[in-house]
């Protein structure tokens, strides 16, 4: 537990103190957020707000993780490094996208094809590497199986596993990006899911098959270090949320949203809870589905299902205040996380 507390605490302090410094730097460089003209009119007054704030909590998370291992003397694990690689790699793709937006003063950055190529390259390296590096028990960070509370069913093979991992990475990184439409809307739910993975990692450590081949034990390579990663990013996100809460002093940008999507998927794959992630991230899934429904419905019928997609903008145009939407969506996210954790513990409930 010591390394979890250190990782979260150091990241929280680093990001809490570092974010206002980054705000001053971005303001001095004139790197303010561009706002789409077709978006809600209420967003036009946010034009010029400092962006690329995800840079701070990415760095803060790395510092918190490194500090935890430095203070405890425990070596980093390949599982922790892989998840941090996925987070940082996708964050770099987002940073390039954000930089093009602010440098060229337009609301569109990287072309969608170029952004997807970047996501795929990072994702392939992560997925392939996660199937290697077995420990002394011949357990690799990931395994070519689908998983819910643990791996299930027959192996899908390494090639299909890489494709499956890429689908998860692309879906979640873009889902968090779509959710990041209001002040604090993405950071709050992401923090709740990260807290869930701190709990999951700890529980898997206490019931690891490496300790005892008991019923329902977990074959996860490095559950404690995955909890440390989740704690480090959680501390960084909470430090950032202090400045990103409505009214936001800074936006995370694609730098932060792609990075958060990456770390959530990385934790899900390496803790063998891939499908459980869809429940824990229920709010993000719901917002993503609203865009799919809006686009699909318009192409099929020529009519819009929502006043605007993603879903949060529909409620904005319905007259809800921004803070009302954010708080209510946080409550919904908390409910999804509670359901996910409840399902995770369900198989441990006493059976009559």
């Amino acid at each position: 537990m010591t390394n979890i507390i250190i990782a979260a605490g150091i990241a929280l302090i680093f990001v809490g103190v570092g974010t206002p410094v980054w705000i001053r730097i971005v303001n001095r460089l004139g790197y303010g957020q561009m706002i789409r003209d077709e978006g809600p009119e209420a967003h036009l007054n946010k034009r010029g707000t400092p962006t690329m704030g995800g840079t701070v909590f990415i760095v803060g998370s790395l510092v918190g993780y490194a500090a935890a291992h430095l203070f405890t003397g425990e070596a980093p694990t390949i599982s922790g490094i892989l998840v941090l690689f996925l987070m940082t790699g996708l964050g770099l793709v987002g940073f390039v996208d954000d930089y093009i937006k602010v440098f060229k003063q337009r609301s569109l950055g990287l072309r969608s094809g170029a952004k997807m190529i970047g996501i795929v390259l990072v994702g392939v390296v992560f997925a392939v590497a996660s199937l290697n590096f077995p420990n002394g028990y011949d357990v690799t960070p990931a395994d070519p199986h689908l998983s819910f509370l643990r791996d299930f069913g027959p192996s899908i093979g390494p090639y299909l596993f890489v494709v499956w991992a890429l689908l998860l990475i692309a879906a979640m990184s873009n889902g968090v990006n779509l959710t990041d439409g209001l002040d604090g809307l993405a950071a709050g739910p992401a923090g709740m899911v990260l807290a869930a993975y701190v709990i999951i990692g700890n529980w898997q450590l206490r019931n690891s098959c490496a300790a005892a081949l008991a019923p329902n034990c977990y074959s996860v390579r490095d559950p404690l270090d995955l909890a440390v990663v989740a704690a480090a990013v959680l501390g960084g996100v909470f430090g950032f949320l202090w400045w990103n809460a409505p009214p936001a002093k800074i936006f995370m940008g694609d730098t932060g949203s792609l990075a958060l999507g990456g770390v959530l998927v990385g934790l899900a794959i390496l803790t063998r809870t891939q499908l459980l992630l869809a429940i824990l991230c229920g709010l993000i899934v719901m917002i993503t589905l609203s865009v799919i429904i809006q686009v699909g419905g318009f192409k099929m019928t020529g009519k819009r299902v929502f006043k605007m997609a993603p879903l949060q903008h529909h409620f904005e145009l319905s007259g809800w205040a921004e803070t009302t939407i954010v708080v209510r969506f946080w409550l919904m996210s908390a409910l999804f996380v509670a359901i996910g954790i409840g399902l995770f513990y369900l198989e441990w409930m006493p059976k009559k």
Side-chain angles (χ1 to χ4, degrees), residues 291-306:
V291 175
I292 296 172
I293 292 169
Q294 181 83 326
V295 173
F298 186 78
K299 286 184 177 180
M300 292 174 61
T301 66
K303 297 181 180 180
R304 291 179 172 84
V305 178
F306 306 104

Side-chain angles (χ1 to χ4, degrees), residues 99-261:
Y99 183 79
I100 292 173
K101 291 176 186 176
V102 297
F103 184 75
K104 295 192 174 183
Q105 291 294 293
R106 66 188 193 194
S107 59
L108 296 175
L110 279 173
R111 295 182 181 276
S112 57
K115 183 187 289 188
M116 188 54 63
I117 288 173
I119 292 172
V120 168
L121 288 175
V122 175
V124 166
V125 173
F126 167 83
V128 172
S130 68
L131 293 176
N132 293 279
F133 304 102
N135 62 8
Y137 298 96
D138 202 33
V139 178
T140 52
D143 195 73
H145 285 80
L146 299 179
S147 62
F148 181 48
L149 305 179
R150 60 184 72 248
D151 290 339
F152 66 85
S155 170
I156 62 175
Y159 298 108
L160 277 179
F161 174 81
V162 171
V163 174
W164 169 242
L166 287 176
L167 289 174
L168 291 177
I169 291 167
M172 187 53 63
S173 57
N174 283 287
V176 177
N177 187 248
L178 291 172
T179 304
D180 185 35
L182 299 178
D183 299 351
L185 184 56
M192 296 177 197
V193 179
L194 288 165
Y197 274 110
V198 174
I199 296 170
I200 288 171
N202 266 290
W203 187 256
Q204 290 178 334
L205 173 68
R206 296 174 185 277
N207 297 278
S208 173
C209 294
L213 290 174
N216 295 334
C217 67
Y218 298 98
S219 295
V220 176
R221 190 188 190 282
D222 306 296
L224 177 59
D225 207 38
L226 292 173
V228 173
V229 170
V233 183
L234 173 62
V237 168
F238 273 17
F240 175 76
L241 188 56
W242 180 268
W243 304 99
N244 182 238
K249 300 294 189 296
I250 188 170
F251 298 142
M252 69 170 66
D254 282 18
T255 307
S257 59
L258 294 187
L260 283 179

